[in-house]
Amino acid sequence: MSKRLHPVAGAIALLTILTFWVATVLAETLGDMATIVAVKTAIPWGLTILIPALAAVGGSGFAIARDRSGGLVAAKRRRMPLIAANGLLILVPCAFLLSFKAQSGTLDTVFYGVQALELIAGAVNIALLGMSLRDGLRLSGRLRTATA
């Protein structure tokens, strides 16, 4: 079960974060106030998908790799706490603050400062999840390492 759950939950988590990130960038660059408010209001609701997906990825990953260590498995294990901490300590609070400020119409310097922090932290999690996806594909034999 874990071997099937892990890649599905990982893909859902990565695609959800990518959706948040791209929607934010598009709303900020191309949208009007109503679009920004809609995106910033929707993101906390999207956490109801993201948080269980990340929990499933972490739990299933530990179950799959329980007797394995070193190399790609160790790299994936090192990334997971960083992904979780970044999400829980930075991204979730940013999402709620930005939603609150957008809904109240307060797009001030604090809003844009927090927005910049959220985009940077989101990009970090996208990169970390992408590296874990790559390493998972290598571990499963679905992606071969290039040789020189």
Side-chain angles (χ1 to χ4, degrees):
M1 179 64 151
S2 291
K3 287 186 178 185
R4 289 186 180 167
L5 175 65
H6 190 71
V8 171
I12 290 169
L14 181 57
L15 290 173
T16 302
I17 294 172
L18 271 168
T19 300
F20 292 170
W21 201 90
V22 170
T24 294
V25 170
L26 291 175
E28 294 291 342
T29 57
L30 303 174
D32 57 8
M33 178 68 163
T35 304
I36 294 169
V37 171
V39 168
K40 294 288 109 186
T41 301
I43 288 175
W45 288 104
L47 295 175
T48 62
I49 296 168
L50 178 60
I51 292 171
L54 287 172
V57 167
S60 62
F62 281 113
I64 292 167
R66 69 178 161 264
D67 296 330
R68 298 173 75 180
S69 63
L72 297 174
V73 172
K76 287 173 66 82
R77 277 193 178 136
R78 282 192 304 271
R79 280 187 213 112
M80 208 55 205
L82 297 173
I83 292 166
N86 189 17
L88 292 174
L89 300 175
I90 298 172
L91 291 169
V92 169
C94 285
F96 283 104
L97 178 65
L98 292 169
S99 177
F100 173 78
K101 290 186 81 59
Q103 289 177 51
S104 68
T106 314
L107 303 187
D108 55 7
T109 56
V110 171
F111 177 90
Y112 286 107
V114 172
Q115 183 65 79
L117 174 63
E118 183 187 53
L119 287 170
I120 292 166
V124 167
N125 266 11
I126 290 166
L128 291 171
L129 284 166
M131 287 187 280
S132 286
L133 171 65
R134 177 203 61 209
D135 291 347
L137 291 172
R138 286 180 178 160
L139 284 166
S140 70
R142 293 184 188 142
L143 181 68
R144 295 178 193 244
T145 306
T147 56

